Amino acid sequence: MMLAGRTIVITGAARGVGLAIAKACLRHGARLGLADNLEDLVRAEAATLAADGGSVRFVPINLADPASITAFADDVARTEGTIDGLVNNAAIATNVGGAAFEDIDIGLWDAVMTVNVRGTWLVTRALSPVFGPDCRIVNMASDTALWGPSRLLAYVTSKGAVISMTRSLARELGPRGIGIVAIAPGIMRNEATEYVPAERHAHYEN
């Protein structure tokens, strides 16, 4: 899909992978809606990108709060009418590893599932009325869901669920002309992965 003049919404866009995706889309002429709960940071990034001549606006969102997701979708519908692309990138990825499976805090487990799995579903559902006729959706999974590292069970499970969700949604959205894929990148050096031990980074870099 050519991006010039297309409206792309990206969640988790304040930093890391989401911000990199936003910059790449902007270079190809897309109009951007950046969503994140790190409000001050994403506002600053949106202002910086807009100052370079891009069409960029910020929409606050809290993926743990269904009411926030509804308000976010209403804002997008009111200002954009339709969207041409959605990147479900927002997720809890920081400080979610290290504990053995029997020691994982239940509150942490629930938070990861709420944001990474339910949040991806609710954002997609909330925005579905404004999907353009050839809208494309990218769900951010992780290669950890494919090889299953130890002591990262909540995150790995959540990203496996995102992959399965995407397969099922493809069957529902495909007949409407809407494409959806999940991508599963390896670990990247950014703010969200600063806690990851050096040897795990080395696993990917060697």
Side-chain angles (χ1 to χ4, degrees):
M1 181 174 72
M2 302 299 292
L3 296 183
R6 303 275 190 155
T7 299
I8 310 296
V9 173
I10 305 167
T11 68
R15 60 184 184 178
V17 174
L19 182 58
I21 292 170
K23 290 178 177 178
C25 290
L26 196 60
R27 285 196 298 271
H28 289 276
R31 293 163 44 87
L32 298 183
L34 306 184
D36 208 297
N37 66 337
L38 300 174
E39 186 166 341
D40 291 342
L41 182 58
V42 76
R43 281 190 188 278
E45 293 293 353
T48 298
L49 295 176
D52 292 334
S55 175
V56 184
R57 59 187 302 273
F58 162 68
V59 186
I61 192 170
N62 177 1
L63 266 66
D65 180 4
S68 174
I69 294 173
T70 299
F72 150 78
D74 289 345
D75 182 278
V76 171
R78 183 173 59 255
T79 57
E80 303 296 341
T82 61
I83 65 171
D84 304 294
L86 167 64
V87 181
N88 281 309
N89 172 70
I92 296 178
T94 303
N95 296 326
V96 295
F101 79 93
E102 64 265 37
D103 297 324
I104 296 172
D105 179 77
I106 293 175
L108 173 64
W109 178 278
D110 289 347
V112 170
M113 298 304 158
T114 295
V115 171
N116 297 11
V117 183
R118 192 185 75 178
T120 297
W121 163 56
L122 286 181
V123 168
T124 305
R125 185 180 75 167
L127 288 177
S128 62
V130 297
F131 289 162
D134 60 349
C135 184
R136 296 294 180 262
I137 304 166
V138 176
N139 289 338
M140 294 297 294
S142 166
D143 78 333
T144 60
L146 307 179
W147 65 276
S150 62
R151 295 180 177 269
L152 196 62
L153 187 62
Y155 182 78
V156 170
T157 303
S158 75
K159 290 304 184 177
V162 168
I163 293 172
S164 295
M165 180 194 309
T166 304
R167 288 179 175 139
S168 185
L169 281 173
R171 296 183 182 276
E172 294 196 47
L173 294 173
R176 294 168 52 184
I178 297 169
I180 181 169
V181 298
I183 61 175
I187 197 167
M188 303 179 193
R189 290 190 181 274
N190 58 47
E191 300 93 330
T193 61
E194 289 176 347
Y195 75 96
V196 176
E199 61 268 20
R200 190 163 288 172
H201 280 286
H203 170 83
Y204 289 95
E205 294 170 354
N206 293 332

